[in-house]
């Protein structure tokens, strides 16, 4: 947890290369630590490395299939890529895990208005 906190602190000040190094090291040492994979997926999203972020999200969901944060992140990436059908499915899956998260709920409403047949 301490190593994850240090990487998060680096992310918060936009020290992305340092955060990447810290998170990759943490993942190497603890490959079953889903939250480290998720944090690196978030970092890659912030860096615009969407394919790398998606790859880490796949790993998060392999380790923790109910990780609604990873599902929400997948929706955000798909939405940014213009893959509205996939984004909507990811957001709905996130909401099925946690119906109280606001971001995916708003995104679902927006996507349903944008493309009513979804």
């Amino acid at each position: 947890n301490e190593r994850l906190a240090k990487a998060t602190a680096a992310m918060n000040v936009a020290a992305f290369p340092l955060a990447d190094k810290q998170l990759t090291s943490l993942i190497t040492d603890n490959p079953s630590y889903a939250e480290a994979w998720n944090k690196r997926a978030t970092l890659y999203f912030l860096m615009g490395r969407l394919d790398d972020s998606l790859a880490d999200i796949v790993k998060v969901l392999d380790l923790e299939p109910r990780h609604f944060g990873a599902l929400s992140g997948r929706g955000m990436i798909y939405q940014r890529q213009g893959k509205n059908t996939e984004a909507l499915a990811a957001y709905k899956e996130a909401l099925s895990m946690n119906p109280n998260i606001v971001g995916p709920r708003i995104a679902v409403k927006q996507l349903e208005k944008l493309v009513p047949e979804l």
Side-chain angles (χ1 to χ4, degrees), residues 2-117:
E2 182 178 319
R3 291 170 70 187
L4 186 65
K6 286 181 181 180
T8 301
M11 287 173 61
N12 289 340
V13 296
F16 296 152
L18 175 60
D20 189 12
K21 181 178 177 182
Q22 291 171 329
L23 290 167
T24 299
S25 174
L26 180 55
I27 288 167
T28 299
D29 294 345
N30 302 281
S32 63
Y33 188 23
E35 204 51 44
W37 287 97
N38 188 63
K39 187 62 71 172
R40 193 172 74 173
T42 301
L43 171 66
Y44 288 162
F45 179 83
L46 293 172
M47 295 171 75
R49 294 173 53 182
L50 301 184
D51 290 336
D52 292 330
S53 183
L54 279 173
D56 280 3
I57 287 170
V58 167
K59 185 63 178 178
V60 173
L61 295 172
D62 180 51
L63 294 167
E64 180 51 61
R66 297 177 51 89
H67 198 293
F68 57 85
L71 291 165
S72 296
R74 184 164 60 184
M76 291 171 61
I77 292 169
Y78 286 152
Q79 192 171 9
R80 186 169 283 183
Q81 293 175 329
K83 298 177 181 177
N84 292 335
T85 302
E86 293 90 340
L88 186 60
Y91 288 135
K92 286 183 175 181
E93 190 174 356
L95 287 168
S96 75
M97 301 299 162
N98 182 350
N100 298 315
I101 49 177
V102 176
R105 193 171 338 127
I106 292 169
V108 165
K109 288 179 183 178
Q110 290 172 341
L111 285 168
E112 288 176 338
K113 287 179 184 176
L114 182 64
V115 187
E117 63 271 10

